[in-house]
Amino acid sequence: LLQIDLPHFIVPYGEGYKNLNSCEYIWKRLAEHNAHRNTIILCLGGGIICDMGAFAGSCFQRGMRVILCPTSLLAMVDASIGGKNGVNFLGFKNYIGGFNKPENIFICHEFLATLPSEEIVNGYVEMLKHGLIADKAHYDKVKVYFFNPNNRVNQELIADSIAIKQNHVEQDFKDKGVRKRLNFGHTIGHAIESWSLSTSQENSELSHGVAVALGIIVESYISAKVLQMPKEQVDEITTVLQSVLKGIKKDLPDYQNLEPYLKKDKKNIGEEINFSLLESIGNCIENQFVSENIISEAIEYLHSVK
């Protein structure tokens, strides 16, 4: 086995470290290693490393070469794909960042064998979302894994999930139209994740995948109210994600807890809270502005099913 001793450094783990302070640390280390624009920064890790490392690389000397090697299922199907990168700021998710495509992305399935089951489930949530917004057949294949989470996800299903995201990105790289559909579950999900980060001890906050799973349940309920998504489909999605709900030990937030984060969401236009919602499983519509009363009712629904 060929071993190459490359300059490297480790960034502290956790959503609480996804910030400009960590970027400054990365920039200092790059400078110490005499990195320049033609130097390759290889970001080897999960979604936080892919997001933050790519952002730091895009800023260093106005942009260096970036390669991503995601090591979690979530990063393989989501964070490493699409060219979005950034960090959290003032408690808000991904508030500072940009659109910068990496030079290459290497998907190494061998890393999946090293992950705990919770990390695999985080990836399943994003894969499920891809099916919900664009491909019911994909959704039907992924939902089975929530009932048997120890089953090893096959490479073809991962590739199909990546293809769904890439299709949206290729149509709308700067997130002005159809790419917004990828945000389904994330308006509420990011608010829950930010709230959890602000109220939890270090590295005890809800994971991105769990927060998005909760967001999917809430936004499916909103979809029924706003776009008349069939109630039986809302019930089915809730049942599929029930195992994620059961694993949550802490109390869930109410609307008042989430309101500050929802009103600062990047997708909003003016004072209106912007969602991507489902007409049905496999059919999503972006730019749906929803009243606070409906959002509050949907969060109460989440409490009722936990």
Side-chain angles (χ1 to χ4, degrees):
L1 180 64
L2 178 65
Q3 293 186 337
I4 303 174
D5 185 20
L6 294 174
H8 66 278
F9 52 91
I10 297 172
V11 179
Y13 167 79
E15 192 73 25
Y17 291 102
K18 188 182 176 184
N19 53 40
L20 290 172
N21 289 335
S22 293
C23 287
E24 184 175 355
Y25 170 76
I26 293 170
W27 294 323
K28 285 179 178 177
R29 295 305 304 271
L30 289 171
E32 289 169 4
H33 287 296
N34 298 314
H36 48 76
R37 287 183 180 180
N38 287 321
T39 301
I40 294 173
I41 179 170
L42 170 64
C43 304
L44 176 68
I48 292 170
I49 292 299
C50 289
D51 270 2
M52 184 167 63
F55 172 68
S58 72
C59 295
F60 187 78
Q61 294 190 3
R62 295 203 174 104
M64 61 189 300
R65 299 169 67 191
V66 175
I67 291 177
L68 304 181
C69 185
T71 58
S72 69
L73 180 57
L74 177 59
M76 289 178 188
V77 299
D78 182 48
S80 67
I81 309 297
K84 277 187 179 180
N85 43 71
V87 294
N88 304 333
F89 185 65
L90 299 178
F92 301 108
K93 282 283 295 181
N94 302 325
Y95 234 50
I96 306 294
F99 295 87
N100 300 281
K101 290 183 179 179
E103 190 168 307
N104 279 296
I105 303 168
F106 296 116
I107 306 294
C108 302
H109 301 93
E110 290 80 4
F111 284 117
L112 298 179
T114 70
L115 298 177
S117 59
E118 311 89 72
E119 283 293 336
I120 295 291
V121 171
N122 283 342
Y124 291 157
V125 171
E126 285 291 343
M127 295 173 72
L128 190 81
K129 180 208 71 180
H130 289 154
L132 286 169
I133 67 168
D135 187 340
K136 187 177 185 302
H138 183 72
Y139 160 82
D140 285 335
K141 292 175 184 176
V142 175
K143 71 181 182 183
V144 175
Y145 287 88
F146 286 89
F147 300 103
N148 295 287
N150 293 323
N151 286 356
R152 184 164 180 168
V153 62
N154 65 65
Q155 296 181 19
E156 183 179 351
L157 202 57
I158 294 172
D160 288 346
S161 205
I162 291 171
I164 291 171
K165 179 160 186 178
Q166 284 181 321
N167 181 50
H168 286 74
V169 171
E170 287 168 4
Q171 294 181 68
D172 176 29
F173 181 60
K174 288 295 184 73
D175 210 12
K176 297 181 183 297
V178 296
R179 182 173 179 165
K180 291 181 180 180
R181 296 175 189 176
L182 292 165
N183 291 315
F184 175 68
H186 284 63
T187 299
I188 296 294
H190 277 170
I192 290 175
E193 194 174 0
S194 296
W195 165 82
S196 177
L197 187 62
S198 71
T199 59
S200 302
Q201 295 181 339
E202 185 175 345
N203 290 336
S204 66
E205 68 273 4
L206 295 176
S207 69
H208 176 75
V210 168
V212 170
L214 301 179
I216 287 173
I217 293 171
V218 173
E219 293 182 29
S220 295
Y221 184 94
I222 294 172
S223 295
K225 288 288 182 177
V226 175
L227 294 179
Q228 288 71 55
M229 180 185 183
K231 181 182 180 300
E232 58 269 22
Q233 292 191 357
V234 178
D235 293 341
E236 179 184 322
I237 292 166
T238 301
T239 300
V240 169
L241 294 173
Q242 198 75 44
S243 60
V244 179
L245 281 172
K246 289 179 180 177
I248 299 172
K249 305 302 181 187
K250 64 190 300 182
D251 292 335
L252 296 179
D254 56 24
Y255 177 74
Q256 285 68 35
N257 298 134
L258 301 183
E259 182 182 21
Y261 305 105
L262 291 170
K263 291 195 170 179
K264 288 284 190 179
D265 191 279
K266 301 182 297 297
K267 301 180 296 298
N268 293 347
I269 299 173
E271 296 296 317
E272 297 181 292
I273 301 172
N274 192 359
F275 289 83
S276 293
L277 299 174
L278 303 179
E279 282 190 305
S280 60
I281 293 174
N283 297 289
C284 186
I285 301 178
E286 68 274 15
N287 293 331
Q288 299 296 305
F289 300 97
V290 179
S291 72
E292 294 179 40
N293 287 339
I294 291 178
I295 299 171
S296 180
E297 181 182 329
I299 292 171
E300 289 178 11
Y301 168 74
L302 177 64
H303 283 261
S304 74
V305 299
K306 184 177 183 297

